[in-house]
Amino acid sequence: MKVHLIGIGGTGMGAFAGLLQEAGHDVRGSDTQLFPPMSTQLAAAKIPVFEGFAAENLDWEPDFVVVGNVCGREHVEVVAAQARGLALESFPSLLEKVVLPERRALVVAGTHGKTTTSSLLTWMLQVAGQQPSALVGGVPINLGRGYLFGRGPSIVLEGDEYDTAFFDKGSKFFHYRPFRAIVTSVEFDHADIFADLDAVKAAFVRFVELIPPEGDLVVCADDAGAMEVSRTARCKVTTYRVLDGSGSGDDDPRSADYTCRVEPKRGRGMMVFEVFEHGTSLGEFQTTLVGTYNLGNVLAALAVARMEGASVAALHDAVRRFLGVKRRQELLGIASGIRVVTDFAHHPTAVRLTTTAIRRRFPNGSLYVCFEPRSATSRRAVFTEGYAESFAAASRVHVGPLFRPEKIPPDQRLDPQQLAKAIAANGVEAMAHADVDELAQAVLAEAAPGDTILLLTSGSFGGLGEKILKALGDAVMFATPEDLPAVHALCQSYALAPTIPGDTTETLIIREPEGAVVGCVSLRMVGAQALLFNLAIDRERRGEGLGWMLADGILRRARMLGVQQVYLVTTDATDFFAGKLGATPASVEEIDPQIRRDPNFVLGDRAVCMKIDPSYKRGS
């Protein structure tokens, strides 16, 4: 089957393109300028993309033309497809026709947390050996892409309540044939298509009614909207709740079917929490995710994974190793001691939860929040009051220009200047900016080492993150697939074996303002142990402390991931690792056999094996 996707660069459309290709179909698409992570995901899948929209993009005569919900009936390729008699489909409707008849659908819905929860559930089932399929509206870091086409019977779907296409104004999740479903929350959102909260609830009620009597619905016990729509379900309803630790009735492990309680002790940069299943403890879990709302996401995914037969041991491992989702509390880089973090949050509730979580993760220094009103929700004045109260954890807020304001009726349009004044009236300094360059200069003028800059945007924010890191210079950041050739070349210059990417491997790089990669280091995790390897610095930049910056960064990351011991092999840098990082000699026998078999674990004639405790204090 030949499928052409109009607007293939969208998160849902791009992931669907990859899913179709893995299912054996010939897939191509068109879009205007693409941005990561979808640009990299499509390139890695080698899916042809036509730049720009034109009638001739359909000359390859596809069987179906998939129309994104951003396309109107006058779109040049829509008109061309109809003139040629080509079948128009939305991606949810084509998914329903060609994929779902052979899969059991596990649908994650809700106003908040859909992407993280569906990514968690997919990862849990994969670690449990169930080989799931998946279609997620984001890029789970463990998977490296937003889709899977597995051999197992289930498919995890992120269930969006947004409308489907110009010829189908119903919610996308009406097409998803849910057998098991999660509803995390129900709030007023998408003011461009829903008149009010009652209209949102009506869409969720219709979705819940699609679950067959033999299926399951998992809902948050503390969300009034989710509980209200769950009363219409024909199937069994399972509840989950994060206990408040107060000792009250709401702190009873039996107050919901799945509960958890945060342990007062601190893990190594991780949240430690005990999970209860119908009142019985499943033991302590650890996660690098931050915030109570993320614990709720873990519980929801865990409940469905258990219904699918996942073992407790597999879930312990999966939760500990889950690395999150790109653009969700994602660290873009660190430069001059300043962290730059990005998140997709755009609804007032999500903004509040994310800002609070980042403040708790990085309690020292100032927190500068840069907010781009970009989504259909965030560009509307109806949410001004909600946003005004959402930034309480910030030190200062910088409101960017309204994205494509002409798309919002003037009487409904959010005013960035008025929003900044409303935020300030709630006790947080705020200012609005006419363009992204002005905003970048304002943030750069005030940020200092130890501070955190948080970008909240559902798009590229005009390249703000890259502008800030470039201006700061020599940024330490996670390597992307596009960086790997430069990383390989740098390692090869030292006769080091190439870094093999995978879901347990992370690579940090230092990028010069001009874009060149001048340093790299990698970490491969095996249980509670990890291998540090391929620490390399461009010879022209040696002696500037870049090696320490990379090693320190990767060890901090290891601590966050719960690694208890990091091993490495070196020939001539024992003094560096011992003096700067607290490394001590190690015997090969104590190292996990998987690490000893790793191609990057090379014991030569002069090689010394060393180990590092990631909790070793290396400064602030």
Side-chain angles (χ1 to χ4, degrees), residues 93-117:
S93 65
L94 193 60
L95 174 73
E96 181 180 21
K97 290 177 180 178
V98 304
V99 178
L100 296 190
E102 300 175 356
R103 296 288 188 277
R104 180 172 63 248
L106 314 176
V107 185
V108 180
T111 306
H112 311 296
K114 293 186 292 292
T115 303
T116 299
T117 306

Side-chain angles (χ1 to χ4, degrees), residues 90-149:
S90 66
F91 92 70
S93 65
L94 193 60
L95 174 73
E96 181 180 21
K97 290 177 180 178
V98 304
V99 178
L100 296 190
E102 300 175 356
R103 296 288 188 277
R104 180 172 63 248
L106 314 176
V107 185
V108 180
T111 306
H112 311 296
K114 293 186 292 292
T115 303
T116 299
T117 306
S118 52
S119 299
L120 272 161
L121 178 55
T122 303
W123 177 240
M124 288 175 179
L125 296 178
Q126 180 152 307
V127 172
Q130 298 196 15
Q131 300 183 63
S133 298
L135 185 62
V136 179
V139 180
I141 295 172
N142 295 86
L143 305 177
R145 56 188 185 176
Y147 62 92
L148 284 177
F149 192 75

Side-chain angles (χ1 to χ4, degrees), residues 428-498:
V428 178
E429 293 184 20
M431 60 188 71
H433 300 273
D435 58 60
V436 173
D437 287 337
E438 175 191 306
L439 192 160
Q441 291 304 314
V443 175
L444 287 166
E446 59 194 9
D451 292 345
T452 302
I453 300 172
L454 171 62
L455 316 183
L456 298 179
T457 174
S458 57
S460 64
F461 212 147
L464 178 62
E466 293 78 4
K467 291 176 187 291
I468 291 172
L469 289 172
K470 183 177 181 178
L472 292 171
D474 290 342
V476 177
M477 59 185 65
F478 289 102
T480 68
E482 289 87 351
D483 294 318
L484 290 182
V487 170
H488 293 335
L490 185 56
C491 292
Q492 190 175 33
S493 71
Y494 286 92
L496 299 172

Side-chain angles (χ1 to χ4, degrees), residues 526 529 588-599 601:
V526 177
Q529 296 185 3
V588 175
E589 290 72 22
E590 69 184 81
I591 304 174
D592 189 292
Q594 288 189 60
I595 292 180
R596 299 204 300 264
R597 292 192 298 267
D598 193 288
F601 186 83

